[in-house]
Amino acid sequence: MIAVFLFRGSAGEVVGFTVSNHGESQVCAAVSMLVINTVNSIETLTAAGAAGFNCEHEEEGYLSFNLKESPRSKDAGLLIDAMVLGLQCVKEQYPSQIEIIENGTGVSL
């Protein structure tokens, strides 16, 4: 089962996430596409750029991302919210393959 941990900043917005484990191939592909596209889009298209976040990944099913500042920028926030919406849609279709875990205000910025 794929586990997605969402971390919220002091204003309650999602400012980071960790994705780990694997699921069925189509679910893994969907989650990977959403997560990697979000990170690449924030890096390329937003003011946050590469200097505005931390990202760690391993080749086998692990990625951790967090913005360095809160409140988050509007453009990075929109991309993260779109990713979360996509992940929730995947969960609706494959509820036994993905778990989305809210971690409150667990990110220290």
Side-chain angles (χ1 to χ4, degrees), residues 1-4 20-28 31 87-100:
M1 176 182 283
I2 299 169
V4 179
S20 61
N21 298 330
H22 290 282
E24 293 179 15
S25 59
Q26 71 271 19
V27 177
C28 243
V31 169
L87 292 169
Q88 290 168 338
C89 290
V90 172
K91 181 167 177 54
E92 287 176 15
Q93 293 296 312
Y94 302 94
S96 66
Q97 292 294 310
I98 181 172
E99 183 175 15
I100 300 173

Side-chain angles (χ1 to χ4, degrees), residues 8-109:
R8 296 190 178 272
S10 58
E13 77 281 18
V14 177
V15 294
F17 53 88
T18 299
V19 180
S20 61
N21 298 330
H22 290 282
E24 293 179 15
S25 59
Q26 71 271 19
V27 177
C28 243
V31 169
S32 294
M33 179 85 150
L34 286 164
V35 169
I36 291 168
N37 186 62
T38 299
V39 173
N40 289 341
S41 295
I42 290 171
E43 180 176 30
T44 305
L45 303 173
T46 74
F53 64 85
N54 295 315
C55 185
E56 298 177 22
H57 62 88
E58 297 174 8
E59 289 190 32
E60 290 300 318
Y62 174 84
L63 185 137
S64 179
F65 173 93
N66 70 290
L67 295 171
K68 290 183 179 178
E69 58 184 46
S70 179
R72 64 190 186 180
S73 68
K74 184 177 180 180
D75 48 359
L78 182 61
L79 291 167
I80 291 172
D81 290 346
M83 178 199 72
V84 171
L85 178 62
L87 292 169
Q88 290 168 338
C89 290
V90 172
K91 181 167 177 54
E92 287 176 15
Q93 293 296 312
Y94 302 94
S96 66
Q97 292 294 310
I98 181 172
E99 183 175 15
I100 300 173
I101 303 143
E102 293 278 344
N103 197 34
T105 57
V107 171
S108 50
L109 300 170

